Amino acid sequence: MKLDNIIIPSRDTPAKRWNIETDDGVICHMTQSSCSDTLPPTILLPALCHPHIHLDKAYLSTCNHSPSNTHPGYHDLVPRSGSFAEALANTSKAKERYTEDDLYLRGSQLLANSYTHGVTSLRAFVELDHVTGFLTLTTAIRLKKDFAHLLDMQICVFAQDPIFSTIHGEANRAIVTSALSDYISFIDALGTTPYVEESREASLQNVEWAVTTAIKYKLHLDFHLDYTLAPPVSPKPLVFSVIELLQKHSWVGISKTIVLGHCTQLSVLDDSQLAQLAEAVIASKLPIHFVGLPTSDLYMMGRPEQDTNTSHHRPRGTLQVPSLIKTLGLSACIGVNNVGNAFTPFGTGDPLQLASWGVGIYHAGTIDDARLLYGCVSWRARAAIGINSDVDGREIEAGRRIRGMLLIENRKDVELPGTSNESGFKFPARQRISFKDIVWDPPCVELRSVVR
């Protein structure tokens, strides 16, 4: 395979162009290009990653199935109030209708959509409980196998519902435990949602069970955590207890990462509290990564309380990811989370669009910020889930593997139609040549391809 007039923004200025020849995805020859500046360049970038995305819940609100035995309809479960409680309730109702064909279709649509956007790795959450049984997991295993030539897909067995409280807690926990025992060779991570338990004590039981179980089965660990904007009067946010329990059970030295998703409560802490948290994480030497999920967080968090006169007060309510990285020295990235369901009815699932929105969400508008935001949906996201954490594109040279990296093309001209009496006209297309151009103005899917 030959690639001509290539810009590598991770390592060079846009003025330097390369001609690259590959053999089986590995660079065998690389020389500086003598192509004229009038020829549109192609940009070679590290591929994109979904560090946190729900597979079984994708497109529940937008699948537009005609109800049948194999593809149930979900038209009656679209958001009406748009509340978090409604989203939980409607998703529980949707689970009762799941079929294998339906799960496979929506899952394959999500994975195909992800690949066309430039995603080559992801952590896919599949919810297991007393309603779903193993159906979501066995379908995910089938999808993982069928898409293995395109995507490095981790399966995260996920307990969205309580496992230590409510009448179904014990049954939910038993389903997850049985799944880990029966399908462990296909599972990469264990996830739970401690905040849905009915008490702080049950939440701590949830965390400790997840920690010890992940250690037993040698799995990555992934918590949905501290999903509130209520100031923590006492006790502290649960993230502090997670650190303590990980230390108690000697996680340090285990070659698996810990991902903490959402954690919106951290956005209401003052600077001294955040500094205390950062100090605790860094001192622990635990491989903890925070994943901000801004599209879901902004949609669900910061809603005005009823019967108040401050309806226009809407806190952003999501982790300030660039500040976690630059100011506090923590490992962090951003993820899509949900696509086309009651938790996030909008958006295409494009990580580059998410990075672009991050410019406004995080007030991150500098050139350096653009590179950081790209990293948050690429190499930083992969680091969080333990995949190719050292690949950021800086060391592209002969002998390096580039299969699976992302190519962004540039058009030479833009052509527009004329009137009925005049011919059309064309003018030079604007060129994207750097991280800032890619993040500030994401290219359409037709200009993206993955190196094969």
Side-chain angles (χ1 to χ4, degrees):
M1 181 179 181
K2 190 174 181 181
L3 304 172
D4 291 331
N5 203 20
I6 300 296
I7 294 175
I8 309 174
S10 294
R11 51 166 277 180
D12 299 321
T13 66
K16 186 172 285 190
R17 314 286 173 91
W18 297 93
N19 294 332
I20 299 174
E21 293 183 31
T22 67
D23 181 17
D24 195 27
V26 177
I27 297 175
C28 56
H29 198 55
M30 186 172 176
T31 59
Q32 281 198 244
S33 174
S34 58
C35 290
S36 167
D37 287 342
T38 60
L39 294 175
T42 298
I43 302 179
L44 181 64
L45 294 160
L48 306 176
C49 173
H50 286 313
H52 181 129
I53 195 161
H54 288 266
L55 184 67
D56 48 312
K57 294 190 294 195
Y59 307 128
L60 285 175
S61 299
T62 58
C63 61
N64 298 319
H65 291 335
S66 298
S68 67
N69 290 334
T70 58
H71 297 298
Y74 302 103
H75 305 287
D76 56 319
L77 302 180
V78 296
R80 287 179 169 77
S81 69
S83 69
F84 184 67
E86 178 191 59
L88 284 173
N90 283 359
T91 301
S92 293
K93 294 175 184 177
K95 291 177 186 179
E96 298 173 356
R97 306 178 190 179
Y98 285 174
T99 66
E100 182 178 357
D101 285 349
D102 165 57
L103 287 165
Y104 187 87
L105 175 60
R106 290 186 291 103
S108 61
Q109 289 169 338
L110 177 66
L111 296 178
N113 176 276
S114 299
Y115 182 76
T116 59
H117 279 124
V119 171
T120 61
S121 55
L122 72 154
R123 175 170 291 173
F125 286 76
V126 290
E127 293 185 20
L128 298 186
D129 54 39
H130 69 285
V131 176
T132 65
F134 296 156
L135 181 60
T136 54
L137 175 58
T138 55
T139 308
I141 292 170
R142 182 181 161 202
L143 286 164
K144 179 175 182 174
K145 178 181 177 181
D146 290 351
F147 282 82
H149 63 297
L150 301 175
L151 296 163
D152 189 349
M153 173 177 153
Q154 290 185 353
I155 293 178
C156 180
V157 166
F158 176 56
Q160 169 71 68
D161 292 342
I163 55 176
F164 279 96
S165 56
T166 77
I167 59 173
H168 298 299
E170 186 174 349
N172 292 338
R173 189 170 74 255
I175 288 289
V176 175
T177 301
S178 296
L180 293 172
S181 175
D182 296 348
Y183 297 95
I184 188 59
S185 62
F186 303 101
I187 298 168
D188 303 278
L190 172 63
T192 71
T193 315
Y195 67 80
V196 299
E197 302 285 0
E198 292 186 331
S199 67
R200 179 80 174 192
E201 180 184 11
S203 293
L204 291 172
Q205 285 181 287
N206 182 308
V207 172
E208 187 154 25
W209 176 86
V211 169
T212 56
T213 304
I215 291 172
K216 175 182 177 181
Y217 288 102
K218 299 180 174 61
L219 297 172
H220 297 288
L221 189 57
D222 206 309
F223 288 117
H224 287 47
L225 211 62
D226 294 325
Y227 202 37
T228 179
L229 293 183
V233 180
S234 181
K236 296 177 181 178
L238 201 58
V239 61
F240 286 93
S241 297
V242 169
I243 295 170
E244 292 170 2
L245 288 169
L246 288 165
Q247 291 175 314
K248 173 185 173 181
H249 293 284
S250 304
W251 189 282
V252 173
I254 296 175
S255 59
K256 300 294 180 180
T257 65
I258 305 106
V259 173
L260 307 181
H262 293 297
C263 294
T264 53
Q265 191 174 41
L266 303 189
S267 68
V268 303
L269 300 186
D270 62 34
D271 289 350
S272 63
Q273 292 171 312
L274 284 170
Q276 181 184 3
L277 172 62
E279 182 180 347
V281 172
I282 294 168
S284 74
K285 298 183 180 179
L286 291 164
I288 290 175
H289 298 257
F290 292 88
V291 178
L293 304 164
T295 46
S296 292
D297 294 345
L298 293 178
Y299 179 64
M300 286 297 175
M301 296 282 107
R303 293 166 181 257
E305 296 181 9
Q306 294 183 350
D307 302 322
T308 68
N309 60 358
T310 56
S311 64
H312 284 240
H313 178 60
R314 310 284 178 96
R316 285 178 295 175
T318 191
L319 280 172
Q320 300 303 297
V321 170
S323 295
L324 293 182
I325 296 168
K326 295 190 297 183
T327 305
L328 297 176
L330 297 172
S331 297
C333 61
I334 53 178
V336 166
N337 192 28
N338 283 294
V339 184
N341 61 37
F343 294 96
T344 319
F346 64 100
T348 64
D350 178 10
L352 273 187
Q353 186 62 69
L354 182 66
S356 186
W357 285 336
V359 174
I361 292 170
Y362 306 123
H363 304 147
T366 69
I367 291 176
D368 287 344
D369 287 334
R371 188 181 191 282
L372 184 146
L373 287 169
Y374 188 95
C376 284
V377 295
S378 181
W379 57 86
R380 290 181 182 274
R382 286 198 303 274
I385 62 175
I387 297 178
N388 293 335
S389 60
D390 61 333
V391 179
D392 67 359
R394 295 190 187 195
E395 298 181 0
I396 295 175
E397 57 188 17
R400 296 284 294 192
R401 185 180 184 87
I402 62 169
R403 175 179 289 168
M405 294 189 71
L406 177 61
L407 290 171
I408 305 290
E409 296 181 28
N410 278 298
R411 292 192 177 101
K412 182 177 181 181
D413 297 310
V414 175
E415 298 188 43
L416 296 175
T419 66
S420 58
N421 299 321
E422 297 179 353
S423 60
F425 60 99
K426 67 170 61 176
F427 52 89
R430 182 169 48 83
Q431 305 296 296
R432 294 178 177 87
I433 59 175
S434 65
F435 280 114
K436 71 173 177 61
D437 300 329
I438 300 297
V439 170
W440 292 351
D441 182 16
C444 64
V445 172
E446 289 74 19
L447 296 178
R448 310 183 198 183
S449 62
V450 174
V451 178
R452 299 288 295 148

